Amino acid sequence: MKNTVINVEELKREYVKRGFFGKTKKVVKAVDGISFNVEQGEIFGLLGQNGAGKTTTIKMLTTLLAPTSGTCEVLGYKTFGEEKKIRSRINFIFGGEMGVYRRLSARDNLRYFSNLYLIPEKVQKERIESILKLVDLADRADDLAETYSKGMIQRLQIARGLINDPEILFMDEPTVGLDPVGARMLRDIIKNLKADGRTVLLTTHNLAEVEELCDRLVIINKGKVIAKGTPSEIKGHEATLEDAYVKLVQEVTA
Amino acid sequence: MNFKVLFSTMKVQMKQSFARPMFRFCLLVNPVVNTILLYEMYRNSGSDNFMAYVVLGAGLMALWGCICFSSAGDINRERYSGTLALIYAAPAGFPAIILGKIIGNTLMSLVTLCISLITAVVLFRVPLHLENPLLFLVALLSAIVTFITISSVIACLLTLSRKTELYMNCLEIPIILLCGFVFPVSVLPNAVQFASRLLSPTYAVELLRMSVNGCEDPALFREKLLMLFLLTLIYAVLSAFLYKKIDRRVRIAATLEVS
């Protein structure tokens, strides 16, 4: 029996921008009534153009942002109101070079986040060593993160995202800036997570990556879902998923 | 409250703060400069104990500077480095993490008092007396607790806004003036003194000064200590209330990150 771990229904998020004296008010609809669900053990893709609402959706799912309306549930709990029941069971990685303490070493970063995730001391040591090996940072584990290359910082972010052995891992453009070897390593990590029964929700602009990894996906544009299904269903008769994606986006923006 | 989270955050905070040149300047250079400045201002004042206004004043000014630019500024640094969202969503709980940061900073910032003392002794060889060391210790511990509590309220409020740098700059000098770090608050106009009396550091500074000069009226010392305790308690309750409020508010207003 399938177990739904992410349930999103008619989800909306609006940002209100006020003028200098608060007289003018502009409402921006970042997410405008999207619906989808993710089953346990799936790799699920969330695709869309820049500004489509992918990051806003991930922030709502990871308990960082309140939805304006609609249902947003992770592991059966509301992400706004029941977040404490979710946080220790998920983790998230945002692409780019943010999200690590640059004046700490990789090992100190991981040790600190292990403490913040209340991981017992006995488990910590073993897990940190194995994750450092997994992301190929064991040799530089005691160097300050500020001395790392962009790719190494990103691998450290991935390591941080795995520190609590999450049931669901949210990844927002995790391969941005990674070299081909690093990107391959990340794809292997994602496949291994799936093999372990973990769920991954992924946003990326790399459609070859989506074809290789994702079981199902949704494409959103200007906050609305414009397509959903398996990569082959969305690809249809087009030669590649990229062709199908471009056609879909052009159709709705025409 | 998880003490492991508290201690590991304190350790990480101290490491990170000391790695920043600006913090090192505030911690190590500011108290020296403040001591020189205050010594020149006070040397013809007729007072023969430079401990009360020169050493304590310079040390407290630098201490408050460190607290303002670190405890408050850290929220912004975390926001811009993308780690504010991570610590906010960590199961350890945001208040415990922020408290660990503030305690780490405040304890490290106490170095400013020692540097002021060393500067006054080495550069000016002026008479320094500490009449009642035991009361000084009581006053100092109370001051530390109250600085931690007031920093907690400030850090909490700054989570709500992205204009953190503006606010922390606005906070530094007014608190130094209102709380009488370098002069008695009695010289301030009455209306301003009313505001001073609502700020717990005012009582902390007065207690420190009383213990340095010698406490001639133990009842007055106890009264000021009680006021300090009550105000600190009010700040602590306010801080707990605010953390509950902001927990919802930051996610509605989307101020955890720079988008």
Side-chain angles (χ1 to χ4, degrees):
Chain A
M1 202 175 100
K2 284 183 180 177
N3 182 14
T4 302
V5 289
I6 296 174
N7 180 31
V8 171
E9 283 170 36
E10 285 300 312
L11 183 64
K12 290 185 183 180
R13 170 69 206 200
E14 293 170 355
Y15 292 98
V16 180
K17 289 182 180 174
R18 292 185 191 277
F20 191 70
F21 293 107
K23 283 183 179 173
T24 53
K25 188 173 143 184
K26 190 182 169 194
V27 177
V28 179
K29 290 180 179 178
V31 174
D32 192 11
I34 63 169
S35 301
F36 65 87
N37 57 61
V38 182
E39 309 297 335
Q40 187 184 356
E42 265 190 321
I43 300 176
F44 191 88
L46 189 59
L47 272 62
Q49 297 292 91
N50 292 329
K54 306 182 296 293
T55 301
T56 302
T57 305
I58 287 204
K59 282 181 184 170
M60 285 190 278
L61 288 166
T62 51
T63 78
L64 297 175
L65 201 59
T68 304
S69 65
T71 304
C72 187
E73 290 174 346
V74 170
L75 296 161
Y77 300 107
K78 291 175 193 163
T79 59
F80 190 64
E82 295 178 316
E83 60 278 347
K84 283 183 183 164
K85 292 172 181 166
I86 301 171
R87 285 176 175 166
S88 59
R89 299 168 66 186
I90 64 165
N91 212 324
F92 49 93
I93 298 163
F94 294 128
E97 295 172 75
M98 312 253 282
V100 296
Y101 290 108
R102 287 167 169 264
R103 288 190 164 121
L104 297 182
S105 67
R107 196 187 306 278
D108 281 348
N109 263 287
L110 295 181
R111 198 176 290 144
Y112 182 51
F113 280 104
S114 300
N115 286 331
L116 298 191
Y117 274 88
L118 312 174
I119 296 163
E121 191 81 33
K122 280 181 187 172
V123 183
Q124 267 189 34
K125 207 176 170 195
E126 202 178 311
R127 191 176 291 170
I128 289 170
E129 292 311 315
S130 84
I131 291 176
L132 282 169
K133 277 184 198 151
L134 184 73
V135 298
D136 200 18
L137 281 177
D139 293 345
R140 299 278 309 271
D142 294 309
D143 295 345
L144 295 184
E146 65 186 0
T147 65
Y148 289 0
S149 67
K150 191 175 177 179
M152 288 169 76
I153 288 178
Q154 213 142 340
R155 280 185 272 147
L156 176 55
Q157 266 228 68
I158 294 161
R160 184 200 48 72
L162 298 172
I163 200 70
N164 61 326
D165 197 15
E167 289 172 51
I168 308 176
L169 186 61
F170 296 87
M171 302 174 120
D172 192 8
E173 299 183 30
T175 48
V176 169
L178 277 183
D179 55 40
V181 175
R184 168 77 61 88
M185 186 184 70
L186 179 66
R187 288 198 294 274
D188 290 342
I189 290 171
I190 294 172
K191 285 174 190 169
N192 287 336
L193 285 168
K194 181 184 162 66
D196 276 353
R198 314 279 162 184
T199 311
V200 177
L201 190 144
L202 174 77
T203 80
T204 177
H205 291 297
N206 184 342
L207 294 168
E209 199 167 78
V210 173
E211 275 194 283
E212 182 185 340
L213 294 172
C214 293
D215 298 303
R216 289 189 305 136
L217 58 112
V218 292
I219 301 175
I220 56 176
N221 191 62
K222 291 180 181 169
K224 291 178 185 292
V225 173
I226 57 169
K228 61 168 91 173
T230 63
S232 59
E233 281 167 357
I234 288 178
K235 198 165 121 183
H237 299 296
E238 300 296 331
T240 63
L241 184 62
E242 188 176 282
D243 290 339
Y245 173 86
V246 171
K247 196 176 167 188
L248 275 164
V249 172
Q250 282 174 344
E251 272 173 14
V252 292
T253 50
Chain B
M1 183 71 66
N2 187 313
F3 286 101
K4 198 174 169 192
V5 171
L6 207 65
F7 288 128
S8 64
T9 305
M10 281 167 61
K11 203 172 136 192
V12 164
Q13 183 62 28
M14 286 180 175
K15 255 188 195 179
Q16 294 218 103
S17 288
F18 201 75
R20 283 189 296 112
M22 188 61 193
F23 187 82
R24 286 201 300 271
F25 180 86
C26 289
L27 188 73
L28 306 174
V29 182
N30 245 1
V32 175
V33 176
N34 290 345
T35 308
I36 295 170
L37 183 73
L38 289 177
Y39 172 74
E40 292 301 332
M41 289 167 70
Y42 279 92
R43 72 174 169 167
N44 294 320
S45 67
S47 167
D48 62 349
N49 187 356
F50 288 85
M51 184 77 167
Y53 287 100
V54 176
V55 174
L56 267 183
L60 287 169
M61 275 170 73
L63 172 73
W64 178 245
C66 285
I67 289 173
C68 250
F69 288 98
S70 201
S71 295
D74 277 335
I75 296 288
N76 228 25
R77 267 185 290 281
E78 297 270 357
R79 184 180 281 129
Y80 277 84
S81 65
T83 46
L84 186 62
L86 302 177
I87 60 171
Y88 175 81
F94 191 57
I97 299 169
I98 291 296
L99 187 63
K101 283 175 167 294
I102 290 168
I103 295 175
N105 269 333
T106 309
L107 292 182
M108 194 156 67
S109 303
L110 289 173
V111 170
T112 57
L113 290 170
C114 301
I115 293 176
S116 290
L117 182 70
I118 293 166
T119 307
V121 170
V122 173
L123 285 187
F124 308 120
R125 300 180 191 283
V126 290
L128 299 169
H129 308 294
L130 175 55
E131 295 297 333
N132 199 325
L134 188 67
L135 289 187
F136 183 80
L137 193 67
V138 172
L140 185 64
L141 287 174
S142 312
I144 294 168
V145 174
T146 209
F147 275 124
I148 288 170
T149 320
I150 203 166
S151 305
S152 177
V153 175
I154 294 167
C156 180
L157 290 172
L158 293 182
T159 314
L160 278 175
S161 173
R162 290 179 186 163
K163 294 176 191 150
T164 314
E165 277 174 24
L166 170 72
Y167 298 137
M168 66 194 194
N169 277 297
C170 292
L171 274 172
E172 192 196 5
I173 301 295
I175 293 288
I176 289 173
L177 298 178
L178 281 171
C179 298
F181 282 14
V182 287
F183 52 76
V185 287
S186 55
V187 303
L188 293 170
N190 283 343
V192 180
Q193 276 190 51
F194 177 75
S196 300
R197 294 288 158 209
L198 296 177
L199 296 164
S200 62
T202 304
Y203 298 94
V205 175
E206 284 177 345
L207 287 169
L208 285 167
R209 218 167 269 150
M210 281 173 86
S211 64
V212 166
N213 289 330
C215 180
E216 289 167 4
D217 185 354
L220 185 65
F221 189 91
R222 281 197 298 273
E223 188 188 306
K224 287 186 187 296
L225 191 63
L226 182 68
M227 277 308 294
L228 176 62
F229 175 75
L230 284 175
L231 280 174
T232 306
L233 190 69
I234 291 170
Y235 293 169
V237 172
L238 179 69
S239 170
F241 172 77
L242 284 173
Y243 275 108
K244 281 203 167 168
K245 279 276 170 204
I246 66 143
D247 188 35
R248 291 179 64 82
R249 192 68 215 147
V250 289
R251 288 188 288 156
I252 293 167
T255 56
L256 281 171
E257 288 167 299
V258 191
S259 48

